[in-house]
């Protein structure tokens, strides 16, 4: 029985050792990732390993896993415009490495290639592009600025084996002095518009007064001409028409109105 247990123990130990060796000889590459093999005797291999489970030589080879999916990164930069205004810009980048260039990236830059490359080249490109525009153009031509930054940065990143899927300006502000100057300019423009409105309103009122005066003058002239032609008869006719209208209005009233007999209290017409 002792020999049986000893044999079982040896078999179990051998199985454990064999399992450990097999386990150390296997490695997995997840979806969206790639692996680069580092050999202790030959260095970094040129072969890029794809997704799945793969074999390696234990203690001799080591897999370095890279994420090849697009990842976002925000890079804030403070730079100056063409007219020497301070500009705060935040650039959002979607980047990923070129899978076929992973051995060169690992050899020349390292696993933290994004930390070493993106901030420096982004700052360089942003300062170069922003310096071509003044502060006003950065606002009015923001799409052009973003496109030039994207083109220049994509070309620069390609030299490091990086692909930029998207580059966009997410934040753009100016210094305190420029912001206050813009606000003061807007207030001045509003005051100028208000003053122009007041002037135009006065001009319109002046024109209306002139037209009204001309109308009154014309009416007075017509009345004077009528009086000169018809004499006092026109005045007597207007008195009779007024008296007729007043009598009609009084007759429709519900109140009882007494008029003194024999007196022309309303119009004082001659007897």
């Amino acid at each position: 029985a002792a020999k049986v247990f000893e044999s079982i123990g040896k078999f179990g130990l051998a199985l454990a050792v064999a399992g450990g060796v097999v386990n150390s000889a296997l490695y997995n590459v997840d979806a969206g990732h790639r692996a680069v093999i580092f050999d202790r005797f030959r260095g970094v291999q040129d072969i890029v390993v794809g997704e799945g489970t793969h074999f390696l030589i234990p203690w001799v080879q080591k897999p370095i896993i890279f994420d090849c999916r697009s990842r976002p990164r925000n890079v804030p930069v403070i730079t100056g415009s063409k007219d020497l205004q301070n500009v705060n810009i935040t650039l959002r980048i979607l980047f990923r490495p070129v899978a076929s260039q992973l051995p060169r990236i690992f050899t020349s830059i390292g696993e933290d290639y994004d930390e070493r490359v993106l901030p420096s080249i982004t700052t360089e490109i942003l300062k170069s592009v922003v310096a071509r525009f003044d502060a006003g153009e950065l606002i009015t031509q923001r799409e052009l600025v973003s496109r030039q930054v994207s083109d220049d940065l994509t070309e620069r990143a390609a030299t490091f084996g990086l692909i930029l899927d998207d580059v966009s300006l997410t934040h753009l502000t100016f210094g305190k002095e420029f912001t206050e100057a813009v606000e003061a300019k807007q207030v001045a423009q509003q005051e100028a518009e208000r003053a122009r409105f007041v002037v135009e309103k006065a001009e319109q009122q002046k024109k209306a007064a002139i037209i009204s005066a001309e109308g009154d003058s014309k009416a007075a002239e017509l009345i004077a001409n009528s009086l000169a032609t018809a004499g006092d008869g026109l005045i007597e006719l207007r008195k009779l028409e007024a008296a007729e209208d007043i009598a009609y209005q009084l007759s429709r009233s519900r109140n009882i109105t007494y008029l003194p007999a024999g007196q022309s209290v309303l119009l004082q017409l001659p007897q």
Side-chain angles (χ1 to χ4, degrees):
K3 292 183 178 181
V4 173
F5 285 112
E6 183 180 356
S7 299
I8 294 175
K10 290 181 179 180
F11 177 76
L13 179 61
L15 186 62
V17 171
V21 172
V22 172
N23 183 63
S24 63
L26 296 176
Y27 66 96
N28 292 321
V29 179
D30 296 332
H33 293 69
R34 297 293 185 272
V36 173
I37 302 300
F38 173 74
D39 192 292
R40 296 181 184 275
F41 301 105
R42 295 180 297 172
V44 178
Q45 303 296 303
D46 293 332
I47 299 175
V48 177
V49 182
E51 303 166 0
T53 301
H54 306 276
F55 290 94
L56 54 73
I57 302 174
W59 303 293
V60 175
Q61 294 179 332
K62 174 185 176 183
I64 296 91
I65 309 297
F66 286 88
D67 188 351
C68 293
R69 298 171 296 183
S70 294
R71 290 180 291 163
R73 183 182 180 90
N74 292 327
V75 181
V77 177
I78 299 177
T79 183
S81 62
K82 185 178 180 181
D83 53 351
L84 304 180
Q85 296 294 335
N86 289 329
V87 185
N88 299 320
I89 298 180
T90 299
L91 199 66
R92 183 179 184 273
I93 305 171
L94 279 178
F95 70 95
R96 56 188 171 90
V98 179
S100 60
Q101 298 188 31
L102 285 177
R104 181 176 70 87
I105 293 174
F106 177 67
T107 302
S108 59
I109 304 176
E111 294 184 68
D112 56 345
Y113 60 90
D114 55 326
E115 293 288 345
R116 298 188 179 189
V117 172
L118 290 179
S120 60
I121 65 173
T122 299
T123 302
E124 173 191 354
I125 296 300
L126 274 177
K127 289 186 175 182
S128 173
V129 173
V130 171
R132 307 172 195 168
F133 301 87
D134 57 35
E137 291 173 342
L138 290 175
I139 298 175
T140 59
Q141 302 181 26
R142 181 166 179 168
E143 182 179 354
L144 176 61
V145 175
S146 179
R147 184 166 61 251
Q148 290 192 6
V149 170
S150 177
D151 294 342
D152 294 351
L153 190 58
T154 299
E155 181 179 357
R156 188 79 172 88
T159 61
F160 294 93
L162 301 180
I163 298 174
L164 304 185
D165 293 323
D166 182 67
V167 177
S168 58
L169 296 175
T170 59
H171 183 70
L172 177 62
T173 58
F174 299 92
K176 181 180 179 181
E177 295 79 6
F178 179 78
T179 303
E180 292 177 350
V182 171
E183 292 176 353
K185 182 179 179 181
Q186 291 177 343
V187 171
Q189 290 177 345
Q190 293 174 355
E191 293 293 338
E193 289 292 333
R194 187 178 296 108
R196 187 176 67 178
F197 172 75
V198 171
V199 172
E200 291 179 353
K201 182 179 179 181
E203 289 292 335
Q204 294 297 328
Q205 291 176 345
K206 180 180 178 181
K207 291 180 180 179
I210 293 174
I211 293 174
S212 177
E214 290 176 350
D216 293 341
S217 176
K218 186 66 176 179
E221 181 182 355
L222 292 175
I223 292 174
N225 292 337
S226 298
L227 290 175
T229 303
D232 294 338
L234 179 61
I235 297 177
E236 298 297 331
L237 177 61
R238 292 292 182 265
K239 287 182 178 181
L240 291 174
E241 290 176 349
E244 182 181 358
D245 184 64
I246 292 172
Y248 176 76
Q249 295 296 333
L250 291 175
S251 66
R252 296 173 58 85
S253 176
R254 296 182 179 181
N255 299 324
I256 299 175
T257 305
Y258 294 94
L259 296 176
Q263 298 183 11
S264 300
V265 295
L266 294 177
L267 299 177
Q268 296 182 357
L269 295 176
Q271 300 293 329

